[in-house]
Amino acid sequence: MGYAFSSGYTLLLLLFGVFPAAYALFLAFTKAGQFVGVDNFARVLSDYRFLPAVQNVATYLVVWLIVQTVLVVVLALIVHSIGVRWLSSTVRFVYYIPGALAGASSVMLWLFLLDPTVSPVSGVLRVLGLETFVQTVSVQNLPIIFTIIAFWTGAGGWIVIMYGALNNISVEVMEAARVDGAGMVKTAWHIQIPMMRKWITYMAIMNLAAGTQLFVEPRILSQASKGVVPPDYSLNQLAYLYAFRQGDFNGSAAISLLLLVVALGLAAFFVLRGGLFERD
């Protein structure tokens, strides 16, 4: 029965994960079917659009990972501390609702919210000195905007997961902390957060993987802003331009492979530092 349940996932993983990755590996080191070594990588790395895209994605990842990790853990601790069961369930449900929307739908909603001429939060935008949509989506504001959108759509699911992790902490451990006089803050800092470390690491890895694939948000904002957001803002957008504007699938595959290597390296760092596979 176990094989039956896992066979569907394995088949999809092979079709849409392993085989495309292997084909990208082949394309990255060939040109017209001939082996060309690292020529495709050298061409991509010398592209004037490559380094700005790396900088944009790196800035977004730093801002997003810090904001997402801190706020998700804090909100999960707050929800877990609510003693009234129906209120706790309601808050978790409310947090989860935005995550049920597709990514593109969320961006469309945020297009409305970010336009000071029609936004219900236009007062807040004007206090921040943002009078027009173009000012709001200027390039220097994009890491913050993408962080807000990503947090709004993704935090609810992670808060529910962290809530489950908090429920796995032994009642005896929590009771011992209370007997020793630890308040909410000390209990969270010295007991709960250390015991959630593996889950926090797992969240960081998954968010890192998602963040390096930044594509939908800048692409829709680029179209809506008529070019204020550059069409090559992220590395995934640049790979898309290589493949479908320039017809250079080899260069596109090289960018994809570079992203994969960097993401795997950072994921390995988080796994080793976070003790994800250590036994308790």
Side-chain angles (χ1 to χ4, degrees):
M1 184 60 73
Y3 290 115
F5 276 111
S6 62
S7 60
Y9 172 77
T10 303
L11 179 63
L12 293 174
L13 177 65
L14 290 173
L15 287 176
F16 299 106
V18 176
F19 290 153
Y23 187 53
L25 185 65
F26 168 76
L27 288 177
F29 290 97
T30 60
K31 185 77 174 178
Q34 301 296 317
F35 181 73
V36 294
V38 295
D39 286 359
N40 292 322
F41 294 93
R43 187 173 70 260
V44 166
L45 291 172
S46 62
D47 191 318
Y48 71 94
R49 301 168 294 181
F50 184 80
L51 286 180
V54 170
Q55 184 180 2
N56 292 334
V57 174
T59 305
Y60 162 66
L61 279 176
V62 170
V63 175
W64 183 41
L65 287 178
I66 293 174
V67 170
Q68 173 96 341
T69 303
V70 172
L71 289 185
V72 163
V73 172
V74 169
L75 290 173
L77 289 167
I78 292 173
V79 173
H80 189 261
S81 68
I82 298 175
V84 183
R85 187 172 180 178
W86 68 266
L87 181 59
S88 176
S89 301
T90 304
V91 172
R92 275 179 280 147
F93 176 70
V94 170
Y95 280 150
Y96 189 75
I97 288 176
L101 297 174
S105 307
S106 298
V107 179
M108 296 301 291
L109 175 63
W110 278 95
L111 286 180
F112 171 71
L113 292 173
L114 293 173
D115 188 345
T117 60
V118 295
S119 173
V121 294
S122 58
V124 176
L125 296 174
R126 290 198 170 92
V127 167
L128 296 173
L130 304 171
E131 297 290 338
T132 65
F133 180 68
V134 171
Q135 282 183 328
T136 306
V137 299
S138 57
V139 173
Q140 64 268 23
N141 294 335
L142 291 180
I144 302 297
I145 291 173
F146 293 149
T147 296
I148 294 173
I149 295 174
F151 181 82
W152 186 76
T153 55
W158 286 113
I159 289 171
V160 173
I161 292 172
M162 293 298 162
Y163 180 87
L166 286 167
N167 281 337
N168 281 333
I169 297 176
S170 166
V171 175
E172 288 78 11
V173 172
M174 297 297 291
E175 193 63 32
R178 291 192 190 93
V179 170
D180 288 342
M184 286 182 60
V185 175
K186 285 189 175 179
T187 301
W189 186 254
H190 294 290
I191 304 293
Q192 292 171 304
I193 292 178
M195 298 189 78
M196 294 164 61
R197 187 178 64 157
K198 291 182 179 179
W199 292 100
I200 295 172
T201 302
Y202 177 66
M203 177 176 67
I205 293 171
M206 298 303 291
N207 287 333
L208 174 68
T212 53
Q213 300 175 50
L214 183 66
F215 180 79
V216 173
E217 293 86 351
R219 179 160 174 78
I220 293 180
L221 280 182
S222 177
Q223 293 174 338
S225 64
K226 298 180 180 178
V228 174
V229 178
D232 50 11
Y233 179 82
S234 73
L235 286 171
N236 256 5
Q237 285 181 284
L238 185 58
Y240 178 86
L241 292 178
Y242 261 86
F244 300 107
R245 291 276 181 86
Q246 302 169 209
D248 186 353
F249 287 90
N250 303 93
S252 178
I255 294 175
S256 303
L257 210 59
L258 288 171
L259 264 177
L260 177 64
V261 170
V262 172
L264 285 176
L266 290 174
F269 172 78
F270 280 119
V271 168
L272 294 174
R273 297 293 297 176
L276 188 60
F277 297 116
E278 291 178 2
R279 292 186 177 182
D280 294 326

